[in-house]
Amino acid sequence: MLSEDDEEDVEKESFEPICLDNLDRHIVLKRKLEAEIFSQESEMAAFKEDFELKGAIPEGFYGEKTWNAIDAKGEAFKKNLASKTSELQKSWKSNVAALLPLKRSNGQIWNLTGTLDWCNSENISDVNELLVFSSSEYAPKDMGIDKFVAPYIEALLIIAAGGGTECDEAKKKVNISLYSCKLLQRGTVEPAHKEICVTQSEAVDMLNRIYDYAFGNEENGVSPFSKAVPIDLLNW
């Protein structure tokens, strides 16, 4: 307790330790890695300042400790990515905007919009490879299929838009590579790979089926989900 004559020293005010949840940690770490790999230092500085101004990470000891933990995870990820880093810096892009109009069975048009995280071209029709980043410390081969849900939809969007490379007759494929922050004392942790190979019409049909199950389709007797969460919750 402070007496009426005492003055509180704001410089010595104590703060509770800050612990970011998995999703927030993933967002910060991914933004930091994009800044380093794709030369976006000014964007990262603005992002970091905004994050601190919102109180997500405090200044001082606890804030520095949090950033140090994020830096350590980042170094582990970059070690696992080392063999591909130069290729990423030469021709890859991050956060590529995507918009694809799609027609449902009833003739209604809906737009699939979003961004492709890390892909090997800024033109959707030229993309045939996606890189997925996980801030998890598990090896990619030990992770669940949920980590591939978002990139699977991205791959379908790419093929539906005319992208991908030929894999079998009229089919096109998009390769997905999943990297993590697991650190080994020696060597690197290999990524997990998935290949999506479908025709353009199959990709469109699958995207429409996903839309129907998410928002409903009275003609086909499909009810929408009563509850939904952002797909980003699976990405960390």
Side-chain angles (χ1 to χ4, degrees), residues 156-176:
L156 291 177
L157 184 155
I158 292 166
I159 296 172
T165 54
E166 293 185 6
C167 59
D168 181 25
E169 297 181 357
K171 293 184 177 182
K172 293 288 193 72
K173 71 176 179 180
V174 173
N175 293 313
I176 303 171

Side-chain angles (χ1 to χ4, degrees), residues 54-69:
K54 290 178 179 177
I57 297 180
E59 296 181 355
F61 172 78
Y62 292 118
E64 183 178 347
K65 186 176 181 180
T66 301
W67 285 114
N68 288 341

Side-chain angles (χ1 to χ4, degrees), residues 5 16 20 25 29 35-36 39 53 78-79 89 93-94 109 121 132 146-148 151 154 182 226 230:
D5 297 329
E16 291 295 327
L20 296 179
R25 187 184 301 109
L29 182 53
E36 295 174 356
S39 300
L53 286 174
K78 286 190 291 184
K79 180 180 177 181
Q89 293 173 331
K93 301 296 180 181
S94 65
I109 302 296
S121 176
V132 183
D146 57 307
K147 298 298 182 187
F148 288 96
E154 292 178 19
K182 183 176 177 62
S226 58

Side-chain angles (χ1 to χ4, degrees), residues 57-230:
I57 297 180
E59 296 181 355
F61 172 78
Y62 292 118
E64 183 178 347
K65 186 176 181 180
T66 301
W67 285 114
N68 288 341
I70 291 172
D71 289 341
K73 271 183 169 283
E75 291 304 313
F77 179 80
K78 286 190 291 184
K79 180 180 177 181
N80 294 331
L81 191 68
S83 63
K84 200 172 180 66
T85 301
S86 60
E87 178 187 341
L88 294 178
Q89 293 173 331
K90 286 180 182 179
S91 58
W92 282 57
K93 301 296 180 181
S94 65
N95 300 314
V96 174
L99 187 155
L100 180 66
L102 294 165
K103 182 182 289 187
R104 302 178 67 191
S105 58
N106 60 6
Q108 179 186 0
I109 302 296
W110 65 282
N111 292 320
L112 176 58
T113 61
T115 57
L116 306 182
D117 284 340
W118 296 4
C119 55
N120 63 338
S121 176
E122 62 183 352
N123 297 315
I124 303 296
S125 59
D126 294 328
V127 175
N128 56 37
E129 189 174 357
L130 296 169
L131 190 150
V132 183
F133 158 69
S134 172
S135 56
S136 169
E137 294 179 3
Y138 289 100
K141 65 181 181 63
D142 297 328
M143 294 184 190
I145 196 67
D146 57 307
K147 298 298 182 187
F148 288 96
V149 173
Y152 172 69
I153 295 175
E154 292 178 19
L156 291 177
L157 184 155
I158 292 166
I159 296 172
T165 54
E166 293 185 6
C167 59
D168 181 25
E169 297 181 357
K171 293 184 177 182
K172 293 288 193 72
K173 71 176 179 180
V174 173
N175 293 313
I176 303 171
S177 299
L178 171 64
Y179 288 79
S180 78
C181 293
K182 183 176 177 62
L183 181 63
L184 298 178
Q185 291 184 342
R186 295 183 180 180
T188 58
V189 179
E190 292 298 315
H193 300 284
K194 297 289 182 183
E195 181 182 283
I196 309 302
C197 181
V198 295
T199 65
Q200 188 171 16
S201 61
E202 287 173 339
V204 171
D205 289 343
M206 184 58 69
L207 289 171
N208 274 320
R209 285 181 61 189
I210 293 172
Y211 180 96
D212 287 347
Y213 280 107
F215 301 103
N217 185 329
E218 293 183 0
E219 291 183 356
N220 296 334
V222 178
S223 299
F225 283 116
S226 58
K227 295 182 179 179
V229 296

